[in-house]
């Protein structure tokens, strides 16, 4: 069925299961099936939690000796498996095999339902769960379930508070390695992703993708109840709570409730007067990271929001929105007493003094 060759008949037998889809070894607890008995044995440790093989350097534990051997190379720096095409080296044979397929384009693992093909068996397994909806990994502390163990592990840290990845330059700690990698760019100043329309640069590709929506006007997140559309997922999440009326987080210092933990944390600072976000250039402090980010543009001169009708540029989207009213003539703020309209809310507030005769400042 393919050109693969093997030293032993048993290896050929196992390989043939890639083509036939046969998985003769089944877990008695969750019914997951495997092509090899060793894979079933290793899987059983996910139910028992058993990890008999311990690293002598960092105390990490593993369910199989093979995983411990691969892990030890993170300490020794050993990479014994080398690609014959580009000479890149890897710590495990599986990594080399997967890498080689980037050169050959081979995708030997095919979905029997939709025909999609994958370079790795693990990718196929993960894909199959999109058809079955299966989420075998459940959090023991809440009802959350996950399709992958790698997703469950960082989730558990939301309960334990564990942050195993520490920055060597400022001692900040993170729950995920990718968050540490992103944080390191705040020290190096590296921003490898540049917008092709304006001069803005970003440390993450995701941030560039989101930024592009300021130019394209794309709003990919749609409310299923009222069809409202949003450029950002968190805006949709916040909007959905206007339908459900959900308010989960309550301030212990006053009677206010909030829909998001981050909103509550920011609100608490109005009581404590804490300002944990400090500008590294002028030492000015802020109650939220978004306020610090906005402030930093006063130092960098960055103005990513450009008017499409003139050459004006702005540091904030809200400033661009107000500016556009110069071109459109829109005046959304109307006085309830004399019906005079204004482009800014602050202008309406100032106007109200003419009726009340009272100035708040």
């Amino acid at each position: 069925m393919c050109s693969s060759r093997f030293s032993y008949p048993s290896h050929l037998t196992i390989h043939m299961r890639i083509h036939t889809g046969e998985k003769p070894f089944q877990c008695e607890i969750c019914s997951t099936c495997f092509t090899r008995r060793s894979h079933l044995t290793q899987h059983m440790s996910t139910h028992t939690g058993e990890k008999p093989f311990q690293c002598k350097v960092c105390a990490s534990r593993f369910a199989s000796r093979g995983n411990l051997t691969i892990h030890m190379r993170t300490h020794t720096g050993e990479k014994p498996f080398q690609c014959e095409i580009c000479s890149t080296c890897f710590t495990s044979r599986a990594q080399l095999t997967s890498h080689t397929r980037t050169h050959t384009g081979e995708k030997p693992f095919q979905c029997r339902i939709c025909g999609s093909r994958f370079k790795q068996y693990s990718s196929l397994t993960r894909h199959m769960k999109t058809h079955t909806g299966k989420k075998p990994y459940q959090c023991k502390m809440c009802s959350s379930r996950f399709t992958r163990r790698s997703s469950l592990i960082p989730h558990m840290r939301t309960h334990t508070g564990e942050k195993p990845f520490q920055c060597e330059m400022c001692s900040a700690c993170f729950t995920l390695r990718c968050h540490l990698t992103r944080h390191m760019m705040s020290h190096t100043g590296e921003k490898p992703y540049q917008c092709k329309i304006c001069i803005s640069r970003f440390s993450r590709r995701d941030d560039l993708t989101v930024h592009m929506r300021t130019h394209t006007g794309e709003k990919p997140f749609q409310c299923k109840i009222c069809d409202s559309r949003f450029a950002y997922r968190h805006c949709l999440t916040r909007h959905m709570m206007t339908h459900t009326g959900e308010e989960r987080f309550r301030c212990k210092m006053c009677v206010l409730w909030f829909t998001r933990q981050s909103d509550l944390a920011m609100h608490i600072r109005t009581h404590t007067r804490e300002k944990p976000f400090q500008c590294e250039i002028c030492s000015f402090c802020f109650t939220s990271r978004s306020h610090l980010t906005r402030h930093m543009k006063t130092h960098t001169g960055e103005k990513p929001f450009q008017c499409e009708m003139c050459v004006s540029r702005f540091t904030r989207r809200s400033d661009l929105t107000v500016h556009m009213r110069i071109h459109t003539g829109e005046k959304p703020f109307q006085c309830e007493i004399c019906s005079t309209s204004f482009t800014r809310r602050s202008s309406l507030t100032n106007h109200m003094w003419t009726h009340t005769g009272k100035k708040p400042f």
Side-chain angles (χ1 to χ4, degrees), residues 4-193:
S4 300
R5 301 184 68 90
F6 303 90
S7 304
Y8 304 98
S10 60
H11 291 177
L12 173 60
T13 300
I14 292 172
H15 167 80
M16 287 304 296
R17 293 171 187 154
I18 294 175
H19 299 296
T20 63
E22 180 189 10
K23 295 181 180 179
F25 304 103
Q26 185 175 26
C27 174
E28 296 179 354
I29 299 176
C30 68
S31 300
T32 304
C33 295
F34 301 88
T35 55
R36 299 177 183 230
R37 186 181 299 279
S38 60
H39 292 173
L40 171 59
T41 301
Q42 187 171 327
H43 164 80
M44 290 304 296
S45 65
T46 65
H47 296 297
T48 63
E50 181 184 7
K51 293 183 178 180
F53 302 99
Q54 183 174 4
C55 173
K56 295 180 180 180
V57 179
C58 68
S60 297
R61 303 188 70 93
F62 301 89
S64 69
R65 186 181 299 278
N67 288 343
L68 172 59
T69 301
I70 292 171
H71 165 79
M72 288 304 297
R73 292 172 186 150
T74 64
H75 296 298
T76 64
E78 180 189 9
K79 294 184 178 182
F81 304 99
Q82 186 175 27
C83 175
E84 296 179 354
I85 300 174
C86 68
S87 301
T88 304
C89 296
F90 300 89
T91 55
S92 70
R93 187 179 299 278
Q95 289 176 348
L96 172 60
T97 301
S98 177
H99 165 79
T100 301
R101 292 174 185 145
T102 64
H103 295 299
T104 64
E106 181 189 9
K107 294 183 178 181
F109 306 103
Q110 184 173 14
C111 174
R112 304 168 92 187
I113 298 175
C114 69
S116 299
R117 303 188 71 92
F118 302 89
K119 295 176 183 177
Q120 296 176 295
Y121 181 73
S122 60
S123 298
L124 171 60
T125 303
R126 187 185 313 150
H127 165 80
M128 288 303 296
K129 290 168 184 173
T130 64
H131 294 299
T132 63
K134 186 177 181 182
K135 294 183 178 181
Y137 302 103
Q138 182 173 5
C139 174
K140 295 179 180 179
M141 301 180 73
C142 69
S143 59
S144 300
R145 302 186 70 94
F146 302 89
T147 56
R148 294 186 294 172
R149 173 177 289 278
S150 59
S151 300
L152 172 60
I153 292 173
H155 166 79
M156 289 301 297
R157 293 172 187 151
T158 64
H159 296 296
T160 63
E162 181 190 9
K163 295 182 178 181
F165 303 103
Q166 185 174 18
C167 173
E168 295 179 354
M169 300 181 72
C170 70
S171 300
C173 295
F174 302 89
T175 55
L176 298 175
R177 187 182 298 279
C178 62
H179 292 173
L180 171 59
T181 302
R182 184 193 315 162
H183 165 79
M184 289 305 296
M185 293 178 181
S186 67
H187 295 297
T188 63
E190 181 185 3
K191 293 184 178 181
Y193 304 103

Side-chain angles (χ1 to χ4, degrees), residues 219 221-248 259-260 263:
K219 294 182 177 181
F221 303 102
Q222 183 174 8
C223 174
K224 295 181 180 179
I225 299 176
C226 68
D227 294 331
S228 297
R229 302 188 70 93
F230 302 89
Y232 313 104
R233 186 183 298 278
H234 71 269
C235 291
L236 172 60
T237 301
R238 187 186 308 167
H239 165 80
M240 289 304 297
M241 293 173 181
T242 64
H243 294 298
T244 62
E246 182 181 7
E247 291 183 318
R248 297 177 294 172
T259 55
R260 297 186 302 168
D263 290 340

Side-chain angles (χ1 to χ4, degrees), residues 301-314:
E302 181 187 1
K303 295 183 178 182
F305 304 102
Q306 182 173 5
C307 175
E308 297 178 354
M309 302 180 72
C310 71
V311 296
S312 299
R313 302 184 70 93
F314 302 89

Side-chain angles (χ1 to χ4, degrees), residues 258-273:
F258 298 87
T259 55
R260 297 186 302 168
Q261 179 74 49
S262 58
D263 290 340
L264 172 59
M266 191 182 302
H267 165 76
I268 289 291
R269 293 172 193 142
T270 64
H271 295 296
T272 63
R273 300 189 182 280

